[in-house]
Amino acid sequence: MTISLKTLSYIDGKWTEPSLGGYFEVINPANNSVISSVANCGSQDAVTAIRAASKAFQFWSKTPAEQRAEYLYRWYKLILQHQHELADLMTRECGKPLSESLSEVVYGASFLQWFSEEARRIKGDIIQSPNADKRFLVNKQAVGVCAAITPWNFPLAMIARKCAPALAAGCTIVVKPAEATPLTALAMADLAEQAGIPAGVFNVLPASEGQEIGEVFSTHPLVRKLSFTGSTAVGKILLKQAADTVKRISMELGGNAPFIVFDDADIDKAVEGAISSKYRNAGQTCICANRFLVQEDIYDKFIAAFSEKVKSIRVGDGLQPGIQQGPLINNKAVQKVDALVRDAIAKGADLICGGKVHELGGNFYTPTIIGNVDKSMAIAHEEIFGPVSPIFRFTDEREAIAMANDTPYGLAAYFYSQKMDRIWRVSEALEYGMIGINEGIISTTLAPFGGVKQSGIGREGGHYGIKEYLDIKYLCLGGLT
Ligand code: SIN
């Protein structure tokens, strides 16, 4: 079977017209052309989907784990089978180069594979009882109906990272994908249907703006768990709204990742890691290096090697062969990135390369490095979400750690050093949920993804991921003779 472009919402196993009848356009950021019009769902559609998910929960939570695993595995195989079509669609929706889209499809599919296996490993406990007539048991049960709000920068993988553990645990789910990338989400629903996943278990609601559906997700009493990936500002609103019904929450929010290069680092490897951490998806990932902290005595050497590579990054439409950096998601993103660069330069930063809208125009921004950045500049505090590397100087390890931790965020951090004692000291001192040590790419299905401080709550991936979708139930069995 092939996948066809789906443009309606997917509720209770049916392709459904929006209740208010509206549609919105999905735009290709490489040329601002309209890819398609998609159903614009609102609060009524969200309530319908939540009710369908609640009805489906009655049988899905009782479906044996073995069978839930088989559904997930079939979905995984179908995604791999259609990886080229999915990657093409993803590049047209969000702009990332085709090679990155393909990697994302494989990365996203791996969550379905992993959690199809984890479904079989949900285990309880028996606690030794001090009383002859009592036994204490601990059971794990699916949380209930879940709601997920997912971002445009990883249109497939973030849905898979939330839905795979939810379905494996026995939960049902309603997803609101980002307005920029609903088509990839609907293609996933198409494949879920082809995999035979029963009606109501997985639902997708496209919408042109998230507020209305976000409010239903975070306040509806039938929703027992909300998982959100996006900005810290929106995360805080959802948290407040979810407080009244005391929902379980997972939040993967903003970051301000430091990338520290110590003077004992292997500079070539640090440059390689810097390129992959910073310029993946044109700098539009939550875990992108956001501040480069480079030790004084290797500062010039690092910049010389780094800028040589950055200047050679090939920018263009991600569908063209050999392109390494696509457009930013829209013009607002370009304006924001450019304003941060202008502010830094006006306050005394050095422009090393780039620093302007790319000659292709539109949503393309030149890969940029600015040096001698300090904390008076807005770029030191804001998540850039663009292909710009601000470089700060530091003199010693203590100063580097203080600078790295001087932020309310705590998602990912990176550092390069070859000294084992420093590696332990620094990794323990950094207030972050994930640390790349001599490595710029840290994402994997197998490890817990998530942050501390204002970067979020909970973990996705690894054997930790499924716990977010399971309640612990203690059983006290008495009256035994
Ligand atoms: C993100 O940017 O939110 C996700 C990045 C990843 O999973 O690698």
Side-chain angles (χ1 to χ4, degrees):
M1 266 195 266
T2 55
I3 47 171
S4 52
L5 194 69
K6 296 288 185 194
T7 57
L8 297 179
S9 59
Y10 184 67
I11 302 175
D12 204 10
K14 294 186 250 336
W15 297 98
T16 310
E17 299 278 350
S19 59
L20 294 178
Y23 290 81
F24 67 99
E25 290 179 339
V26 182
I27 307 291
N28 179 342
N31 52 25
N32 290 322
S33 64
V34 177
I35 306 171
S36 181
S37 285
V38 171
N40 195 7
C41 295
S43 50
Q44 189 48 51
D45 305 286
V47 171
T48 307
I50 289 166
R51 289 200 184 121
S54 176
K55 190 172 66 156
F57 180 72
Q58 302 312 316
F59 65 83
W60 183 252
S61 56
K62 295 184 183 67
T63 301
E66 184 78 19
Q67 280 175 33
R68 296 199 301 266
E70 280 164 16
Y71 284 117
L72 283 172
Y73 195 74
R74 278 207 293 274
W75 197 9
Y76 155 71
K77 293 294 275 184
L78 282 164
I79 287 180
L80 286 190
Q81 196 180 316
H82 293 284
Q83 58 184 287
H84 293 282
E85 291 151 88
L86 288 165
D88 181 86
L89 183 59
M90 196 189 294
T91 292
R92 286 191 286 130
E93 268 192 315
C94 76
K96 64 175 69 175
L98 205 48
S99 57
E100 284 193 36
S101 293
L102 261 179
S103 310
E104 183 185 334
V105 176
V106 174
Y107 172 48
S110 71
F111 288 103
L112 297 168
Q113 180 192 30
W114 171 263
F115 285 107
S116 73
E117 293 157 357
E118 287 296 286
R120 297 181 167 94
R121 299 190 194 113
I122 300 167
K123 297 189 205 84
D125 287 310
I126 298 178
I127 298 165
Q128 287 303 311
S129 168
N131 313 96
D133 63 341
K134 285 186 181 170
R135 295 291 181 274
F136 305 136
L137 301 93
V138 177
N139 197 9
K140 306 270 179 63
Q141 285 185 282
V143 165
V145 174
C146 301
I149 303 177
T150 58
W152 50 263
N153 60 343
F154 288 86
L156 187 146
M158 296 305 99
I159 294 178
R161 193 155 78 185
K162 294 178 193 311
C163 295
L167 268 52
C171 299
T172 54
I173 196 158
V174 184
V175 181
K176 196 215 81 67
E179 73 206 61
T181 56
L183 296 170
T184 305
L186 294 170
M188 281 185 83
D190 185 3
L191 296 175
E193 188 179 31
Q194 291 186 30
I197 292 180
V201 170
F202 174 73
N203 307 273
V204 179
L205 298 173
S208 65
E209 57 101 26
Q211 211 179 328
E212 203 178 309
I213 291 182
E215 200 172 323
V216 177
F217 280 5
S218 53
T219 56
H220 199 288
L222 284 177
V223 174
R224 302 292 292 273
K225 152 110 200 172
L226 174 65
S227 178
F228 170 68
T229 296
S231 73
T232 297
V234 173
K236 286 179 186 176
I237 296 171
L238 292 169
L239 264 175
K240 284 183 193 145
Q241 290 175 174
D244 273 349
T245 44
V246 195
K247 296 194 193 311
R248 290 192 57 175
I249 295 286
S250 295
M251 300 239 151
E252 199 256 277
L253 306 176
N256 185 359
F259 187 110
I260 311 169
V261 189
F262 288 104
D263 57 8
D264 62 298
D266 177 325
I267 305 269
D268 291 339
K269 291 213 170 103
V271 166
E272 202 183 301
I275 294 282
S276 35
S277 166
K278 177 75 241 185
Y279 293 93
R280 175 179 176 227
N281 200 11
Q284 302 172 110
T285 85
C286 301
I287 55 170
C288 271
N290 208 56
R291 295 171 291 152
F292 287 87
L293 316 181
V294 182
Q295 199 153 6
E296 185 67 51
D297 38 350
I298 52 153
Y299 181 88
D300 292 332
K301 195 170 167 199
F302 176 79
I303 288 197
F306 188 37
S307 57
E308 197 186 309
K309 295 267 189 233
V310 171
K311 283 181 201 158
S312 71
I313 292 175
R314 290 190 56 199
V315 179
D317 183 337
L319 289 176
Q320 303 298 321
I323 291 301
Q324 294 162 300
Q325 184 189 298
L328 300 196
I329 191 68
N330 53 34
N331 194 253
K332 199 166 149 216
V334 175
Q335 297 307 320
K336 181 200 156 183
V337 167
D338 198 48
L340 287 173
V341 171
R342 305 273 126 249
D343 169 78
I345 290 168
K347 290 178 178 154
D350 304 331
L351 180 63
I352 291 157
C353 63
K356 56 179 186 316
V357 173
H358 193 270
E359 60 199 23
L360 289 169
N363 300 324
F364 294 95
Y365 202 81
T366 317
T368 297
I369 304 179
I370 48 177
N372 280 324
V373 177
D374 65 44
K375 61 186 270 196
S376 71
M377 303 165 189
I379 206 161
H381 312 284
E382 282 195 37
E383 196 173 20
I384 305 166
F385 245 61
V388 178
S389 300
I391 312 208
F392 301 68
R393 294 172 190 266
F394 69 88
T395 48
D396 58 24
E397 189 180 300
R398 235 176 128 108
E399 190 190 8
I401 292 167
M403 286 166 76
N405 287 341
D406 186 15
T407 165
Y409 299 106
L411 191 58
Y414 306 82
F415 68 92
Y416 277 71
S417 165
Q418 299 189 83
K419 292 185 182 152
M420 198 43 85
D421 55 342
R422 170 171 277 166
I423 285 176
W424 279 106
R425 257 192 329 269
V426 175
S427 55
E428 284 170 9
L430 288 173
E431 296 166 354
Y432 288 84
M434 297 173 281
I435 317 267
I437 305 160
N438 297 322
E439 180 57 60
I441 292 288
I442 55 174
S443 305
T444 161
T445 315
L446 311 177
F449 190 105
V452 298
K453 293 162 78 179
Q454 292 190 27
S455 285
I457 299 170
R459 292 293 179 272
E460 297 185 315
H463 69 267
Y464 303 89
I466 200 162
K467 296 195 172 82
E468 305 279 336
Y469 296 90
L470 289 167
D471 277 333
I472 293 175
K473 188 179 278 180
Y474 155 54
L475 312 177
C476 178
L477 184 58
L480 302 173
T481 49

